[in-house]
Amino acid sequence: MSTSSVSKGCFVFKPSAKKKKTLSLEDHFSHGCESAESSEKRFKLCQDLWDKIKSDTEVLQDDLNRKILDSLLDFTRKCSSTRQLSDWASQMRASEIPTAALVLGVNVPDHDMTFQSLSELLQQSVTPHVASVQAKECGALKHLMKRVLERLMGTDVTVDDEEEEEAEQTSTPLHKSVDFHLLNIFPVFQKSNTPGKKRSSPSRDDPQQPPVVIIFKDLEAFNPKVLQDFILICSRYIERLPLMFIFGIATSPSTIQHMLPHSVSSLLCIELFQSLSCTQHLATVIDQLILTHHFPFKLNAKVLQVLMSIFLYHDFSVRNFIKGLQLALLEHFHSQPLSVLCCKKKDALLNVMQLSHSDLERIRNLPSFKRYRNTQLNAHTSKESNALGYFCFQEVCQKLIKGLHKYHKNYYPVLRCLHTLTSSLPRYPLGKQVRELHLICLEKNVWENEDYQTAMKLLRMLAKDELVALLQRCVEILQPTLLEMNESRRAKKLSPFEVLRNEALEFLDNLVKSHLSPPESHTLNEVCYYTSSATVRRHLNATPRTSIQAALNSPYYYLQNDRLKTVDGSVSNSAPDICIAYKLHLECGRLINLYDWLEAYATVVSAAEGNNPDSDNYGKVEEVKHARFIRAVSELEFLGFIKSTKQKTDHVARLTWGGC
């Protein structure tokens, strides 16, 4: 509803009695007159691809971490066996706490999966006594001790807060007061040892005694004093408890020396372990998940560049890269009804025959199909140009789908072959990583690139051994799709090697021109390729201030509730309390009178509740309304829109000006 007024203000409208129907995720896949069966099939395809991404990346994660995890397992076993030896060097090492410094890199969001796999493997093959702790839950020594004991014993542990107060009053180090709690681990070992064997406490000479592994997931975030006290406590029990530490390090191994003085670090026997870099991990994920024809969903150059930019310039997180890929997948299947054809070749051909008239009309309106049809009409040589009938048009679509799948099947082997030839050339003219070459091929004809032409000239100058080695690698890549080379005409007499070299490079050049054309040049590419890079960037690289103001100004944009929809940009009186308070505060100056603000809020809320404007209680401030207003004001203060001021006690100062 719109109004016309000479002055700005907050107008009250009674909410509509109509209620919005709650939609399920499947319902959101329905577009207009699209049948329920078609939207359900699209949702099922999206869900299957989503699950495939998740399972494949988990397998890749395990494979990439297998080497470093196996090394850590060998380290724990070796340290356990060293304790049983009687030579002097072994006894000296046994007096120190074995510590594995695991350097994982700065991609912190991905570390949880690595530590989860490590904990499971340790519990399965080395020891049942594994405790993982994080800095955010171990702010004090008593909290660290509590978390370790709870995870080792499997029960709740209470550490009395009075101990800390008593330690402060008596100037006694806190670790002396909580030291004895480590003795609670002894009964756990007695249960885990061979039944029938009695003893009062575990012994380091018992060959059946498993180690106690404590994992510090984020070493840099721990309080150095807490960590030092904990290590000092543990060092007292190393003769009776086979303790072992694993430090998760995101930056550099020198962090240990910076956090721990020599008197503490000398109690540790440290061995360094280096995991794969996050860029190597990403390259493997892209190679095995995106650069393959087995996965039907595709990203165009801009979307892929957005995801890679967020990875390289924000978080180095492969897991967040996968989340971005899944977001693009969901958006594609939600916004593109023809994504029902984005599946395996056999299923896609079957789905073509089940397309409705509206789906076929959508195909006719695709930009790529319009170009294809214009080409056929200009050529006057194809039956497809006049294929307007329902069944005949389905056959045309099947042919085009086959062509699209054939393009993808040939594209990736030829891409890898071209990368093999050019990546070893000086200055890497076409990109050091295969994904960089992939981006070039997605944007334009790669053979028109100046670097490509330079690479071909350099290849023609390679020596025999170098060229043969590269061609042999290309043969291995192209073996499933390799064709017989055509005979070439030569204007002059060349040596046998020059003839073979020119034929091989010409053959590869023809392969590139035949199979590495940009996806946009192929008909029906829209069913597989997601192109909305702006949507992905908006979701993954958000601007908090703009998003918050947009939500407060237009709650309908996020909540999608028809009762919140307005025409002139005003906020409905049915909006959340914080939206109403925010809109009212925009009408004020630098200082806002809290009582006036409260009265205006009560008036708006009374209208939303359907109260009679002529009644005496209309706009009256009640306890519930007062509490709701206080909460809304507190939320606005937390978000940084207002702050308290000493100029006037009953006023708050406004910190922002204008809307979005």
Coordinates of all heavy atoms in Angstrom, one line a residue, residues 362-392:
R362 N 11.4 -23.9 -23.8 CA 12.6 -23.3 -23.1 C 13.8 -23.5 -23.9 O 14.7 -22.6 -23.9 CB 12.7 -23.8 -21.7 CG 11.6 -23.3 -20.7 CD 11.9 -23.8 -19.3 NE 10.9 -23.3 -18.3 CZ 10.0 -24.1 -17.8 NH1 9.9 -25.3 -18.2 NH2 9.1 -23.6 -17.0
I363 N 14.0 -24.7 -24.4 CA 15.2 -25.0 -25.2 C 15.2 -24.1 -26.4 O 16.3 -23.6 -26.8 CB 15.1 -26.5 -25.6 CG1 15.3 -27.4 -24.4 CG2 16.2 -26.8 -26.7 CD1 15.3 -28.9 -24.7
R364 N 14.1 -23.9 -27.1 CA 14.1 -23.1 -28.3 C 14.5 -21.6 -27.9 O 15.1 -20.9 -28.8 CB 12.6 -23.0 -28.9 CG 12.3 -24.3 -29.6 CD 11.0 -24.1 -30.4 NE 10.6 -25.2 -31.2 CZ 9.8 -26.2 -30.9 NH1 9.3 -26.2 -29.7 NH2 9.6 -27.2 -31.8
N365 N 14.3 -21.2 -26.7 CA 14.6 -19.8 -26.3 C 16.0 -19.7 -25.8 O 16.4 -18.6 -25.4 CB 13.6 -19.3 -25.3 CG 12.2 -19.2 -25.8 OD1 12.1 -18.8 -27.0 ND2 11.2 -19.4 -25.0
L366 N 16.8 -20.8 -25.7 CA 18.1 -20.7 -25.2 C 19.0 -20.0 -26.2 O 18.9 -20.2 -27.4 CB 18.7 -22.1 -25.0 CG 18.2 -22.9 -23.8 CD1 18.8 -24.3 -23.8 CD2 18.4 -22.2 -22.5
P367 N 19.9 -19.1 -25.8 CA 20.7 -18.3 -26.7 C 21.6 -19.3 -27.6 O 21.7 -19.0 -28.8 CB 21.6 -17.5 -25.8 CG 20.8 -17.3 -24.5 CD 20.0 -18.6 -24.4
S368 N 22.1 -20.3 -27.0 CA 22.9 -21.2 -27.8 C 22.1 -22.0 -28.8 O 22.6 -22.2 -30.0 CB 23.6 -22.3 -26.8 OG 22.6 -23.1 -26.2
F369 N 20.8 -22.3 -28.5 CA 20.0 -23.0 -29.5 C 19.6 -22.0 -30.6 O 19.5 -22.4 -31.8 CB 18.8 -23.6 -28.9 CG 18.0 -24.5 -29.8 CD1 18.3 -25.8 -30.1 CD2 16.9 -23.9 -30.5 CE1 17.6 -26.5 -31.0 CE2 16.1 -24.7 -31.4 CZ 16.5 -26.0 -31.6
K370 N 19.4 -20.8 -30.3 CA 19.0 -19.8 -31.3 C 20.2 -19.6 -32.3 O 20.0 -19.5 -33.5 CB 18.7 -18.5 -30.7 CG 17.3 -18.5 -29.9 CD 17.0 -17.1 -29.3 CE 15.7 -17.1 -28.6 NZ 15.4 -15.8 -28.0
R371 N 21.4 -19.6 -31.8 CA 22.6 -19.5 -32.7 C 22.7 -20.8 -33.6 O 23.0 -20.7 -34.8 CB 23.8 -19.4 -31.8 CG 24.0 -18.0 -31.1 CD 25.4 -17.8 -30.7 NE 25.9 -18.9 -29.8 CZ 25.8 -18.9 -28.5 NH1 25.2 -17.8 -27.9 NH2 26.2 -19.9 -27.8
Y372 N 22.4 -21.9 -32.9 CA 22.5 -23.2 -33.7 C 21.4 -23.2 -34.8 O 21.7 -23.6 -36.0 CB 22.3 -24.3 -32.8 CG 22.0 -25.7 -33.4 CD1 23.0 -26.4 -34.0 CD2 20.6 -26.1 -33.5 CE1 22.7 -27.6 -34.6 CE2 20.4 -27.3 -34.1 CZ 21.4 -28.1 -34.7 OH 21.1 -29.3 -35.3
R373 N 20.2 -22.7 -34.5 CA 19.2 -22.7 -35.5 C 19.5 -21.8 -36.6 O 19.2 -22.1 -37.8 CB 17.8 -22.4 -34.8 CG 16.6 -22.5 -35.8 CD 15.4 -22.2 -35.1 NE 14.2 -22.4 -36.0 CZ 13.0 -22.1 -35.7 NH1 12.7 -21.6 -34.4 NH2 12.0 -22.2 -36.5
N374 N 20.0 -20.6 -36.3 CA 20.3 -19.6 -37.3 C 21.4 -20.2 -38.3 O 21.4 -20.0 -39.5 CB 20.8 -18.3 -36.7 CG 19.7 -17.6 -36.0 OD1 18.5 -17.7 -36.3 ND2 20.0 -16.7 -35.0
T375 N 22.4 -20.9 -37.7 CA 23.4 -21.5 -38.5 C 22.8 -22.5 -39.4 O 23.2 -22.6 -40.6 CB 24.5 -22.2 -37.6 OG1 25.0 -21.2 -36.7 CG2 25.6 -22.8 -38.4
Q376 N 21.9 -23.3 -38.9 CA 21.3 -24.4 -39.8 C 20.4 -23.7 -40.9 O 20.4 -24.2 -42.0 CB 20.4 -25.3 -38.9 CG 21.2 -26.1 -37.9 CD 22.3 -26.9 -38.5 OE1 22.1 -27.6 -39.6 NE2 23.4 -27.0 -37.9
L377 N 19.7 -22.7 -40.5 CA 18.9 -22.0 -41.5 C 19.7 -21.3 -42.6 O 19.4 -21.4 -43.8 CB 18.0 -20.9 -40.9 CG 16.9 -21.4 -40.0 CD1 16.2 -20.3 -39.3 CD2 15.8 -22.2 -40.8
N378 N 20.9 -20.8 -42.2 CA 21.8 -20.2 -43.2 C 22.4 -21.2 -44.1 O 22.7 -21.0 -45.3 CB 22.9 -19.4 -42.5 CG 22.3 -18.2 -41.8 OD1 21.2 -17.7 -42.2 ND2 23.0 -17.7 -40.8
A379 N 22.7 -22.4 -43.6 CA 23.4 -23.5 -44.3 C 22.4 -24.1 -45.3 O 22.8 -24.6 -46.4 CB 24.0 -24.5 -43.4
H380 N 21.1 -24.3 -45.0 CA 20.1 -24.9 -45.8 C 20.5 -26.4 -46.1 O 20.1 -26.9 -47.2 CB 19.9 -24.1 -47.1 CG 19.3 -22.8 -46.9 ND1 18.0 -22.6 -46.4 CD2 19.8 -21.6 -47.0 CE1 17.7 -21.3 -46.3 NE2 18.8 -20.6 -46.7
T381 N 21.2 -27.0 -45.2 CA 21.6 -28.4 -45.5 C 21.2 -29.4 -44.5 O 21.5 -30.5 -44.6 CB 23.2 -28.4 -45.7 OG1 23.8 -28.0 -44.4 CG2 23.6 -27.6 -46.8
S382 N 20.5 -28.9 -43.4 CA 20.2 -29.8 -42.3 C 18.7 -29.9 -42.1 O 18.0 -28.9 -42.3 CB 20.9 -29.3 -41.0 OG 20.5 -30.1 -39.9
K383 N 18.3 -31.1 -41.9 CA 16.9 -31.3 -41.6 C 16.4 -30.7 -40.3 O 15.3 -30.4 -40.1 CB 16.6 -32.8 -41.5 CG 16.8 -33.5 -42.8 CD 16.5 -35.0 -42.7 CE 16.7 -35.8 -44.0 NZ 16.4 -37.2 -43.9
E384 N 17.4 -30.5 -39.4 CA 17.1 -29.9 -38.1 C 16.6 -28.5 -38.2 O 15.9 -28.0 -37.3 CB 18.3 -29.9 -37.2 CG 18.7 -31.3 -36.6 CD 19.6 -32.1 -37.6 OE1 19.7 -31.6 -38.7 OE2 20.1 -33.1 -37.2
S385 N 16.9 -27.8 -39.3 CA 16.5 -26.4 -39.4 C 15.0 -26.3 -39.5 O 14.4 -25.3 -39.1 CB 17.2 -25.8 -40.6 OG 16.8 -26.5 -41.8
N386 N 14.3 -27.4 -40.0 CA 12.9 -27.3 -40.1 C 12.2 -28.3 -39.1 O 11.0 -28.6 -39.3 CB 12.5 -27.8 -41.6 CG 13.0 -26.8 -42.6 OD1 13.0 -25.6 -42.4 ND2 13.5 -27.3 -43.7
A387 N 13.0 -28.7 -38.1 CA 12.4 -29.7 -37.2 C 11.6 -28.9 -36.1 O 12.1 -28.6 -35.1 CB 13.5 -30.5 -36.6
L388 N 10.4 -28.7 -36.4 CA 9.5 -27.9 -35.5 C 8.5 -28.9 -34.8 O 7.9 -28.4 -33.8 CB 8.8 -26.8 -36.2 CG 9.7 -25.8 -36.9 CD1 8.8 -24.8 -37.6 CD2 10.6 -25.1 -35.9
G389 N 8.4 -30.1 -35.2 CA 7.4 -31.0 -34.6 C 7.9 -31.5 -33.3 O 9.1 -31.4 -33.0
Y390 N 7.0 -32.0 -32.5 CA 7.3 -32.4 -31.1 C 8.3 -33.5 -31.1 O 9.4 -33.4 -30.4 CB 6.0 -32.8 -30.4 CG 6.2 -33.2 -29.0 CD1 6.3 -32.3 -28.0 CD2 6.2 -34.5 -28.6 CE1 6.5 -32.6 -26.6 CE2 6.4 -34.9 -27.3 CZ 6.5 -34.0 -26.3 OH 6.6 -34.4 -25.0
F391 N 8.0 -34.6 -31.7 CA 8.9 -35.7 -31.7 C 10.2 -35.5 -32.5 O 11.3 -35.9 -32.1 CB 8.2 -37.0 -32.2 CG 7.0 -37.4 -31.4 CD1 5.7 -37.1 -31.8 CD2 7.2 -38.0 -30.2 CE1 4.6 -37.5 -31.0 CE2 6.1 -38.4 -29.4 CZ 4.8 -38.1 -29.8
C392 N 10.1 -34.8 -33.6 CA 11.3 -34.5 -34.4 C 12.2 -33.6 -33.6 O 13.4 -33.8 -33.6 CB 10.9 -33.9 -35.7 SG 12.3 -33.7 -36.9

